[in-house]
Amino acid sequence: MTPEKIHSIIEGLLYLTGEEGLLLDQIRKVLPECSVQEIHNVIGRMKSEWNADERHGLMVTDIPGGYRLTTKPSLAPYAEKFAAIPKSSPLSQASLETVAIIAYKQPVSRITIDEIRGVKSERALQTLMVKGLIKEVGRAEGAGRAILYGVTPVFLDYFGLHSLDDMPPLADAAKEPNRQLDAYDLFYDQYKETIKNL
Amino acid sequence: MTPEKIHSIIEGLLYLTGEEGLLLDQIRKVLPECSVQEIHNVIGRMKSEWNADERHGLMVTDIPGGYRLTTKPSLAPYAEKFAAIPKSSPLSQASLETVAIIAYKQPVSRITIDEIRGVKSERALQTLMVKGLIKEVGRAEGAGRAILYGVTPVFLDYFGLHSLDDMPPLADAAKEPNRQLDAYDLFYDQYKETIKNL
Amino acid sequence: MEYKVKIDAFEGPLDLLLHLIKTLEIDIYDIPVSEITDQYLDYIHHMQKLELNVASDYLVMAATLIAMKSRMLLPKPEVIDDSQDEPYEDPEDSRQALMQQLLEYRQFKEAAQSLRDNESGRMLLFAKEPEDLSRYEREDITTIPKSERATIYDMMRAVQRMLLRKQLEGPQNTKINRQILPIGAQMNRVVGQLQEAGHALRFDDFFSVRDRIHVIVTFLALLELMKKDAVFCRQDENFAEIIVDLGKGAAAYDTGEDTFNY
């Protein structure tokens, strides 16, 4: 299949899936004869061409495991009025801090989060659960068997991250290099797990 | 405003409005400084360019009073292939919410479902109808004679239920937000009444 | 110092401490306990409208700071006697612990800020609703293997999320739909039901639809009909069944449809 044809099919599928996004796996099922490399090349070119061409109002963004067609940021003032899916209000500072702690420290219990923040995080956790940004990933061992939380693919999507690897390292990580590094290594595995379970 | 900028805005809005299409009036409201002629020119060029370029999977078609972005006919087999891919999440949150409300509250109209969910449920209803999980069970009395929906035997089969009596009491699901509970506690009796009609 | 910043500007005592450290240009790695305690207490005193449950977190920190400060003023005992009931707590250790806590919290505050930037960027991007591809779908869902289906449990969770979402979306408005059940229409229905039956009916017979609005409107309709002598109610003894029958005014009552169009 020619790259032109692949281009047109991916463009069409990106349009059809809209907000939901198109997963690489799905492209491969529709185009079983194309290699991942071919698909990557086509999408790479699509991205850079559309970005560079100011006549294009659309752009391709990364989502966990795939791609999504969105309007360019410069179109936001016009797009807002037309979007079928209204943007929800930004997360509160409490929710943001809580989800940051979960992303870097998962799996993590409410008590740990409360300790780090120095205040109760129950309501923030509830909001994050409802928004689907976090989920229960297990129970702590020992008495109480506290619920452990982790982030979901929705979290990655919400913050425009392709994977947890895209998250910047914690600023003071140098203070306790070993502990942080381990924790960081765990993310990726963990998140892979999380994606599977979703 | 440059033709390039106009092009990008129209492209973006065509994408956002999708199947519904974009009316010329809507474009004029967004771009009050543009003449109809300018808009026509831009769209005319967009049409011919996209048609001629085989890399484009999308095309602009005319609708009464406006335009619509659709996939090119040549893409239909791929869209079909895509639709046949089993979904990782079998039913969306919206569909699950909607079918739950119908199961507990049937016979129930779309308006009631919209009110309970706080968002429009048209699409979810469509999906559920296509999948055969719900059906029309009658019409409401009074003006409008709204369609009333109920669940089908396929619903029971899909969720592995012998009868609607196997469904957990709604109170279990509503346990946490107890403020809401009393609004829903009438459901249960209601649905027991209606299962007889299945 | 001006105390114009309200308590809701801070996420908690740690956030407030970080704010003080920043504005007072204190070295976080060498926190002067005495100074920070005084400033913190000062701030707390000026926060007029502390919500009670919020306040407790701030007060616990205040107590911790005061304890630390006072221990620092005391000379360190020459011989540390571990056999005492309350083992000696080195204020320097507490100071280090507080520093660590602040450093860790600051890390996540910065991480949160960086996520905030991501969020703002993401909010500028818009996408359309996914197209309904069901017209391309031919699959019979009952052929989907059980393991790949949504479960009742998924459904319950969906309902739970929906209820929580509505709860979080703010105050609930009870919506009374005036078109659905005007009281006048319900009065007609009650009278019609009695006429059709040709005899008295039980009170419960009028409440077959277990919908809140329906129950309320029917009850109001009965009261209104009683007032107009169109029906009368009889109860033989306390808690006995209430019997409803047509009254003298049944033939010529006015529903006052406009007046009672709730």
Side-chain angles (χ1 to χ4, degrees), chain B residues 15 19 80 82-83 90 93 97 100 104 115-117 123 126 131 133 157-158 173-174 177 179 182, chain C residues 128-133 135-136 138 141-142 148-150 156 158-160 163 165-167 172 212:
Chain B
Y15 168 67
E19 244 178 4
E80 227 166 279
F82 176 79
Q93 164 80 13
E97 281 177 19
Y104 281 110
E115 265 171 20
I116 293 172
R117 294 191 55 226
R123 198 167 286 270
Q126 235 175 49
K131 289 190 188 293
L133 293 169
D157 179 50
Y158 181 85
R179 240 196 306 157
D182 64 337
Chain C
K128 71 190 264 287
E129 252 183 280
E131 213 77 4
D132 183 14
L133 292 170
R135 63 170 177 271
Y136 296 112
R138 303 182 198 133
I141 59 160
T142 53
E148 286 169 24
R149 297 183 188 182
M156 290 299 110
V159 170
Q160 215 171 68
L163 297 182
R165 182 183 72 215
K166 292 192 77 175
Q167 199 176 15
Q172 288 280 312
R212 177 164 300 182

Side-chain angles (χ1 to χ4, degrees), chain A residues 54-55, chain B residues 1-10 34 38 41-43 45-46:
Chain A
E54 59 167 328
R55 295 208 310 161
Chain B
M1 193 176 285
T2 63
E4 286 76 22
K5 180 84 183 163
I6 299 174
H7 188 285
S8 78
I9 291 169
I10 292 177
C34 292
E38 275 180 289
N41 289 347
V42 167
I43 292 179
R45 221 170 320 134
M46 199 185 283

Side-chain angles (χ1 to χ4, degrees), chain A residues 144-160:
Chain A
R145 314 225 341 104
I147 296 168
L148 298 175
Y149 298 94
V151 297
T152 65
V154 177
F155 164 86
L156 296 174
D157 180 17
Y158 184 86
F159 291 106

Side-chain angles (χ1 to χ4, degrees), chain C residues 43-58:
Chain C
Y43 211 106
I44 295 286
H45 285 149
H46 282 86
M47 292 195 290
Q48 299 291 326
K49 285 183 182 171
L50 271 185
E51 274 179 59
L52 218 56
N53 56 343
V54 175
S56 64
D57 290 324
Y58 287 89

Side-chain angles (χ1 to χ4, degrees), chain A residues 16 19 68 91 158, chain C residues 11 116 119 122 128 131:
Chain A
L16 290 176
E19 173 81 17
R68 176 193 289 133
L91 290 177
Y158 184 86
Chain C
E11 283 302 315
R116 177 70 85 202
E119 183 189 48
R122 180 71 183 79
K128 71 190 264 287
E131 213 77 4

Side-chain angles (χ1 to χ4, degrees), chain A residues 64-81:
Chain A
Y67 309 93
R68 176 193 289 133
L69 201 60
T70 66
T71 53
K72 285 185 180 169
S74 58
L75 252 66
Y78 308 98
E80 237 158 7
K81 295 182 195 116

Side-chain angles (χ1 to χ4, degrees), chain A residues 20-126:
Chain A
E20 227 168 57
L22 182 63
L23 300 180
L24 184 59
D25 280 352
Q26 293 172 323
I27 301 176
R28 298 214 59 200
K29 277 184 186 134
V30 174
L31 301 172
E33 66 277 36
C34 292
S35 69
V36 174
Q37 194 51 49
E38 277 180 289
I39 296 169
H40 271 306
N41 288 347
V42 167
I43 291 178
R45 222 170 320 132
M46 198 186 284
K47 273 187 186 173
S48 56
E49 279 177 19
W50 290 14
N51 268 337
D53 187 348
E54 59 167 328
R55 295 208 310 161
H56 269 302
L58 300 176
M59 61 188 252
V60 180
T61 53
D62 287 338
I63 60 168
Y67 309 93
R68 176 193 289 133
L69 201 60
T70 66
T71 53
K72 285 185 180 169
S74 58
L75 252 66
Y78 308 98
E80 237 158 7
K81 295 182 195 116
F82 282 87
I85 307 147
K87 289 270 179 267
S88 55
S89 46
L91 290 177
S92 68
Q93 183 64 23
S95 297
L96 212 55
E97 286 178 13
T98 304
V99 83
I101 293 167
I102 295 172
Y104 282 103
K105 272 185 117 65
Q106 67 179 341
V108 60
S109 71
R110 182 178 58 71
I111 294 162
T112 308
I113 300 167
D114 287 353
E115 272 169 15
I116 292 173
R117 298 190 56 230
V119 284
K120 296 226 180 308
S121 308
E122 216 167 328
R123 194 166 166 81
L125 282 170
Q126 221 183 47

